[in-house]
Coordinates of all heavy atoms in Angstrom, one line a residue:
V24 N 4.7 -8.5 -1.1 CA 3.2 -8.8 -0.8 C 2.5 -7.5 -1.0 O 3.0 -6.4 -0.7 CB 3.0 -9.5 0.6 CG1 3.7 -10.8 0.7 CG2 3.5 -8.6 1.7
E25 N 1.2 -7.6 -1.4 CA 0.4 -6.4 -1.4 C -0.5 -6.4 -0.2 O -1.3 -7.3 0.0 CB -0.4 -6.4 -2.7 CG -1.5 -5.3 -2.8 CD -0.9 -3.9 -2.9 OE1 0.3 -3.8 -3.4 OE2 -1.6 -3.0 -2.6
H26 N -0.4 -5.3 0.5 CA -1.3 -5.1 1.7 C -2.6 -4.6 1.2 O -2.7 -3.6 0.5 CB -0.6 -4.1 2.7 CG 0.6 -4.7 3.4 ND1 1.8 -4.7 2.9 CD2 0.6 -5.4 4.6 CE1 2.7 -5.3 3.7 NE2 2.0 -5.7 4.7
I27 N -3.7 -5.3 1.6 CA -5.0 -4.9 1.1 C -5.4 -3.5 1.7 O -5.9 -2.6 1.1 CB -6.0 -6.0 1.5 CG1 -5.7 -7.2 0.7 CG2 -7.4 -5.5 1.2 CD1 -6.5 -8.4 1.2
L28 N -5.0 -3.3 3.0 CA -5.1 -2.0 3.7 C -3.5 -1.7 4.0 O -2.8 -2.6 4.3 CB -5.8 -2.1 5.0 CG -7.3 -2.3 4.9 CD1 -7.9 -2.5 6.2 CD2 -8.0 -1.2 4.1
P29 N -3.2 -0.5 3.8 CA -1.7 -0.1 4.0 C -1.2 -0.6 5.4 O -1.9 -0.5 6.4 CB -1.7 1.4 3.9 CG -2.9 1.7 3.1 CD -3.9 0.7 3.5
E30 N 0.0 -1.1 5.3 CA 0.7 -1.5 6.6 C 0.9 -0.3 7.5 O 0.9 -0.4 8.7 CB 2.0 -2.1 6.2 CG 2.7 -2.7 7.4 CD 4.0 -3.4 7.0 OE1 4.5 -3.3 5.9 OE2 4.5 -4.2 7.9
S31 N 1.1 0.9 6.9 CA 1.2 2.1 7.7 C -0.1 2.5 8.5 O 0.0 3.3 9.4 CB 1.6 3.3 6.8 OG 0.7 3.4 5.8
L32 N -1.2 1.9 8.2 CA -2.4 2.0 9.0 C -2.6 0.9 9.9 O -3.7 0.8 10.5 CB -3.6 2.1 8.0 CG -3.7 3.4 7.1 CD1 -4.9 3.3 6.2 CD2 -3.7 4.6 8.0
G33 N -1.6 0.1 10.1 CA -1.7 -1.0 11.1 C -2.0 -2.3 10.6 O -2.0 -3.3 11.4
N34 N -2.2 -2.5 9.3 CA -2.5 -3.8 8.8 C -1.3 -4.7 8.6 O -0.4 -4.3 7.8 CB -3.2 -3.6 7.4 CG -3.5 -5.0 6.8 OD1 -3.8 -6.0 7.4 ND2 -3.3 -5.0 5.5
K35 N -1.3 -5.8 9.2 CA -0.2 -6.8 9.1 C -0.7 -8.1 8.6 O 0.0 -8.9 8.2 CB 0.6 -6.9 10.3 CG 1.3 -5.6 10.7 CD 2.3 -5.7 11.9 CE 2.7 -4.4 12.2 NZ 4.0 -4.3 12.8
A36 N -2.0 -8.3 8.7 CA -2.6 -9.6 8.5 C -3.2 -9.8 7.1 O -3.2 -10.8 6.6 CB -3.6 -9.9 9.6
H37 N -3.8 -8.7 6.6 CA -4.6 -8.8 5.3 C -3.7 -8.4 4.1 O -3.6 -7.3 3.8 CB -5.8 -7.9 5.4 CG -6.7 -8.2 6.6 ND1 -7.4 -9.3 6.6 CD2 -6.9 -7.5 7.7 CE1 -8.1 -9.3 7.8 NE2 -7.8 -8.2 8.5
V38 N -3.0 -9.5 3.6 CA -2.1 -9.3 2.5 C -2.4 -10.3 1.4 O -3.0 -11.4 1.6 CB -0.6 -9.4 2.9 CG1 -0.3 -8.3 3.9 CG2 -0.4 -10.8 3.4
L39 N -2.0 -9.9 0.1 CA -2.1 -10.8 -1.0 C -0.7 -11.4 -1.1 O 0.3 -10.7 -1.0 CB -2.4 -10.1 -2.3 CG -3.8 -9.4 -2.3 CD1 -4.0 -8.6 -3.6 CD2 -4.9 -10.5 -2.2
P40 N -0.5 -12.7 -1.4 CA 0.8 -13.3 -1.4 C 1.6 -12.8 -2.6 O 1.1 -12.2 -3.6 CB 0.5 -14.8 -1.6 CG -0.9 -14.8 -2.1 CD -1.6 -13.6 -1.6
P41 N 2.9 -13.0 -2.5 CA 3.8 -12.6 -3.7 C 3.3 -13.2 -5.0 O 2.9 -14.4 -5.0 CB 5.2 -13.1 -3.3 CG 5.2 -13.2 -1.8 CD 3.7 -13.6 -1.5
G42 N 3.4 -12.5 -6.1 CA 3.0 -12.9 -7.4 C 1.6 -12.5 -7.8 O 1.3 -12.6 -9.0
I43 N 0.8 -12.0 -6.9 CA -0.5 -11.5 -7.2 C -0.4 -10.1 -7.8 O -1.1 -9.8 -8.8 CB -1.5 -11.5 -6.0 CG1 -1.6 -12.9 -5.4 CG2 -2.8 -10.9 -6.3 CD1 -2.3 -13.9 -6.3
V44 N 0.5 -9.3 -7.2 CA 0.8 -8.0 -7.7 C 2.2 -7.9 -8.0 O 3.1 -8.3 -7.2 CB 0.4 -6.9 -6.7 CG1 0.7 -5.5 -7.1 CG2 -1.1 -7.0 -6.4
C45 N 2.6 -7.4 -9.2 CA 4.1 -7.3 -9.5 C 4.7 -6.2 -8.6 O 4.1 -5.3 -8.1 CB 4.2 -7.0 -11.0 SG 3.9 -5.4 -11.5
D46 N 6.0 -6.3 -8.5 CA 6.8 -5.4 -7.7 C 6.6 -3.9 -8.2 O 6.5 -3.0 -7.4 CB 8.3 -5.7 -7.6 CG 8.5 -7.0 -6.9 OD1 7.7 -7.4 -6.0 OD2 9.5 -7.7 -7.2
G47 N 6.6 -3.8 -9.5 CA 6.4 -2.5 -10.1 C 5.1 -1.8 -9.7 O 5.1 -0.6 -9.3
C48 N 4.0 -2.5 -9.8 CA 2.7 -2.0 -9.4 C 2.6 -1.7 -8.0 O 2.1 -0.8 -7.5 CB 1.6 -2.9 -9.9 SG 1.3 -2.8 -11.7
N49 N 3.2 -2.7 -7.2 CA 3.2 -2.5 -5.7 C 3.9 -1.2 -5.3 O 3.4 -0.5 -4.5 CB 3.8 -3.7 -5.0 CG 3.5 -3.8 -3.6 OD1 2.9 -3.0 -3.0 ND2 3.9 -4.9 -3.0
N50 N 5.1 -1.0 -5.9 CA 5.8 0.2 -5.6 C 5.1 1.4 -6.1 O 5.1 2.5 -5.4 CB 7.2 0.2 -6.3 CG 8.1 -0.8 -5.6 OD1 7.9 -1.2 -4.4 ND2 9.0 -1.4 -6.3
Y51 N 4.5 1.4 -7.2 CA 3.7 2.5 -7.8 C 2.6 2.9 -6.8 O 2.4 4.0 -6.5 CB 3.2 2.2 -9.2 CG 2.3 3.3 -9.7 CD1 2.8 4.4 -10.3 CD2 0.9 3.2 -9.5 CE1 2.0 5.4 -10.8 CE2 0.0 4.2 -10.0 CZ 0.6 5.3 -10.6 OH -0.2 6.3 -11.0
L52 N 1.8 1.9 -6.4 CA 0.7 2.1 -5.5 C 1.1 2.8 -4.2 O 0.5 3.7 -3.7 CB -0.1 0.9 -5.2 CG -0.9 0.3 -6.4 CD1 -1.4 -1.1 -6.2 CD2 -2.0 1.2 -6.8
A53 N 2.3 2.3 -3.7 CA 2.8 2.8 -2.4 C 3.2 4.3 -2.6 O 2.9 5.2 -1.7 CB 4.0 2.0 -2.0
R54 N 3.9 4.6 -3.7 CA 4.4 6.0 -3.9 C 3.3 7.0 -4.4 O 3.3 8.1 -3.9 CB 5.5 6.0 -4.9 CG 6.8 5.5 -4.4 CD 7.9 5.6 -5.5 NE 7.6 4.6 -6.5 CZ 7.3 4.8 -7.8 NH1 7.4 5.9 -8.3 NH2 7.1 3.8 -8.7
K55 N 2.4 6.6 -5.3 CA 1.5 7.4 -5.9 C 0.1 7.5 -5.4 O -0.6 8.4 -5.6 CB 1.5 7.2 -7.4 CG 2.8 7.3 -8.2 CD 3.2 8.7 -8.2 CE 4.5 8.9 -9.0 NZ 4.9 10.3 -9.1
V56 N -0.3 6.4 -4.6 CA -1.6 6.4 -4.1 C -1.6 6.5 -2.5 O -2.2 7.3 -2.0 CB -2.3 5.1 -4.5 CG1 -3.7 5.0 -3.9 CG2 -2.4 5.0 -6.1
E57 N -0.9 5.5 -1.9 CA -0.9 5.5 -0.4 C -0.2 6.7 0.2 O -0.7 7.3 1.1 CB -0.3 4.1 0.0 CG -1.1 3.0 -0.3 CD -0.4 1.7 0.0 OE1 0.6 1.7 0.7 OE2 -1.0 0.6 -0.3
K58 N 1.0 7.0 -0.3 CA 1.8 8.1 0.3 C 1.0 9.4 0.3 O 0.9 10.1 1.3 CB 3.1 8.2 -0.4 CG 4.0 9.2 0.2 CD 5.4 9.3 -0.4 CE 6.2 10.4 0.3 NZ 7.4 10.8 -0.5
P59 N 0.4 9.9 -0.9 CA -0.3 11.1 -0.8 C -1.5 11.1 0.1 O -1.8 12.0 0.8 CB -0.7 11.3 -2.3 CG 0.2 10.6 -3.1 CD 0.6 9.4 -2.2
F60 N -2.2 9.9 0.2 CA -3.3 9.8 1.1 C -2.8 9.9 2.6 O -3.4 10.6 3.3 CB -3.9 8.4 0.9 CG -5.0 8.0 1.9 CD1 -6.3 8.6 1.8 CD2 -4.7 7.1 2.9 CE1 -7.2 8.3 2.8 CE2 -5.7 6.8 3.8 CZ -6.9 7.3 3.8
L61 N -1.8 9.2 2.9 CA -1.3 9.2 4.3 C -0.7 10.5 4.7 O -0.6 10.8 5.9 CB -0.3 8.1 4.5 CG -0.8 6.6 4.3 CD1 0.3 5.6 4.2 CD2 -1.8 6.4 5.4
E62 N -0.3 11.3 3.7 CA 0.3 12.6 4.0 C -0.7 13.7 4.1 O -0.4 14.9 4.5 CB 1.4 13.0 3.0 CG 2.6 12.1 3.1 CD 3.7 12.4 2.1 OE1 3.4 13.1 1.1 OE2 4.8 12.0 2.3
H63 N -2.0 13.4 3.8 CA -3.0 14.4 4.0 C -3.2 14.8 5.4 O -3.2 13.9 6.3 CB -4.3 13.9 3.4 CG -5.4 14.9 3.2 ND1 -6.2 15.3 4.2 CD2 -5.7 15.6 2.1 CE1 -7.0 16.2 3.8 NE2 -6.8 16.5 2.5
D64 N -3.4 16.1 5.7 CA -3.5 16.6 7.1 C -4.5 15.9 7.9 O -4.2 15.5 9.1 CB -3.7 18.1 7.1 CG -2.5 18.9 6.6 OD1 -1.4 18.3 6.7 OD2 -2.7 20.0 6.2
S65 N -5.7 15.6 7.4 CA -6.7 15.0 8.2 C -6.3 13.5 8.5 O -6.6 13.0 9.6 CB -8.0 15.0 7.5 OG -8.0 14.4 6.2

């Protein structure tokens, strides 16, 4: 499932169901977009 807001920011309710985003894009977004954002010092 694709979390509209990252689960690591506390979102568990706002998700897109399986099949809306492919596993490859979901993994890419987690590694290349969300992870660098969440690792920023601020």
